[in-house]
Amino acid sequence: LFSLGLGLYDRFSETYTDKIYLNLRNLADNKKVTIDLFLSERVAQLSNLALTESFEELEGEAYLERIFGVLQLHSKSFLDLQVIDQNGICVSYVGPYALKGIDYSREEWFRQVMAKGIHISEVFLGFRQYPHFNIAVSRREGDRTWVLRAAIDSDVFDSLVRSVYIGKSGDAFLLGADHVLQSKPRFGHAMFDTLNFPDIPHFSGTRVEQLTIDGQTSLYAMTWLNLKDWLLIIKDDPKEEFLPL
């Protein structure tokens, strides 16, 4: 009976552990799809707008304001909208700040969007002193290339990341360059904190690993987003998960 009990426990332990890892992996996969879809939709909205409207039309702020109103009907995540000419000058702007006339020609993001056609920034405060990130798309029209750029509300984005229910101590967040938080976790850290997290090279799919960081051992499901070099991390307490076992 004792030998049988040990054998049954060992087998059940292996099966239960595999189930926990699979649940975390599926949770990370589903969350990745949701976040990538959110980013893809915002990029598609800006790209469609740039392709269907001309520079001359969007250069008029009255017309741009009507277009911006249509965008907000479909998504409240847009904070403002800019039209930037090929010299990097903001020629038209709709939003709460005075950005018309600002020169972006020396900014790295402007050079990237002119070369690659799309740019998604890191989350930052900026002069707004409010967490947000920018999406910019470029369009070639005749002999010139111009840029349409929008700021995205980080609170809406955070709600997509944090809407994960994995127990009392579970957490979910995004890590950007140099391990800087790009979303607000539930516990322990504030936005833009730098985490003491191992360097994770790019990989396809999703990994679930048990890591000890700052003296605390946790389960981590990790996956890279498609449109941005952000690492999605879902953290769970192994003690809480293995308590029924």
Side-chain angles (χ1 to χ4, degrees):
L1 287 176
F2 181 72
S3 299
L4 179 62
L6 283 178
L8 290 174
Y9 177 83
D10 181 69
R11 181 59 181 165
F12 180 73
S13 175
E14 181 180 344
T15 304
Y16 190 77
T17 301
D18 289 344
K19 179 182 177 182
I20 290 173
Y21 274 57
L22 180 61
N23 287 343
L24 275 178
R25 185 177 291 109
N26 289 338
L27 192 61
D29 286 340
N30 292 335
K31 184 56 60 177
K32 173 187 175 179
V33 170
T34 300
I35 298 171
D36 276 333
L37 181 61
F38 174 84
L39 293 175
S40 297
E41 286 177 345
R42 304 292 89 73
V43 170
Q45 285 174 301
L46 288 180
S47 297
N48 290 336
L49 178 57
L51 289 172
T52 55
E53 305 292 340
S54 68
F55 180 81
E56 285 77 13
E57 289 174 324
L58 295 179
E59 192 177 11
E61 288 193 342
Y63 187 79
L64 184 65
E65 189 167 356
R66 290 199 298 272
I67 293 296
F68 183 61
V70 174
L71 276 180
Q72 285 198 313
L73 284 177
H74 297 285
S75 174
K76 296 296 183 181
S77 58
F78 288 99
L79 294 175
D80 60 20
L81 192 61
Q82 294 176 273
V83 178
I84 301 166
D85 66 17
Q86 61 185 6
N87 298 316
I89 305 299
C90 178
V91 298
S92 183
Y93 173 77
V94 175
Y97 303 97
L99 300 185
K100 186 175 180 180
I102 289 183
D103 185 355
Y104 294 109
S105 59
R106 297 183 179 181
E107 299 289 338
E108 179 62 27
W109 70 262
F110 180 73
R111 289 192 286 268
Q112 287 191 22
V113 73
M114 291 294 280
K116 299 179 180 179
I118 180 176
H119 179 264
I120 301 176
S121 75
E122 301 289 301
V123 178
F124 65 104
L125 289 175
F127 59 84
R128 295 174 174 85
Q129 292 301 300
Y130 183 80
H132 67 284
F133 64 98
N134 292 316
I135 297 177
V137 297
S138 63
R139 178 193 173 185
R140 182 73 178 174
E141 187 179 0
D143 59 351
R144 65 183 172 191
T145 301
W146 53 278
V147 174
L148 193 63
R149 186 186 190 218
I152 307 298
D153 187 352
S154 184
D155 280 348
V156 177
F157 190 62
D158 280 351
S159 66
L160 293 175
V161 180
R162 292 200 304 267
S163 59
V164 177
Y165 300 99
I166 46 176
K168 297 179 180 179
S169 57
D171 210 344
F173 48 87
L174 292 170
L175 276 188
D178 301 322
H179 302 166
V180 176
L181 282 168
Q182 299 297 296
S183 66
K184 191 182 302 179
R186 289 174 65 193
F187 308 108
H189 292 278
M191 192 73 168
F192 307 121
D193 280 356
T194 300
L195 298 191
N196 179 25
F197 201 81
D199 290 327
I200 305 295
H202 280 264
F203 59 87
S204 59
T206 302
R207 292 181 183 175
V208 179
E209 298 180 13
Q210 186 166 294
L211 303 173
T212 301
I213 300 174
D214 296 329
Q216 182 182 9
T217 300
S218 300
L219 289 174
Y220 292 89
M222 299 169 288
T223 183
W224 289 96
L225 299 185
N226 292 331
L227 288 181
K228 181 66 179 174
D229 288 338
W230 288 338
L231 181 65
L232 170 63
I233 299 173
I234 296 180
K235 175 184 175 183
D236 200 6
D237 184 0
K239 294 180 181 179
E240 184 177 344
E241 288 293 340
F242 289 110
L243 184 62
L245 177 63

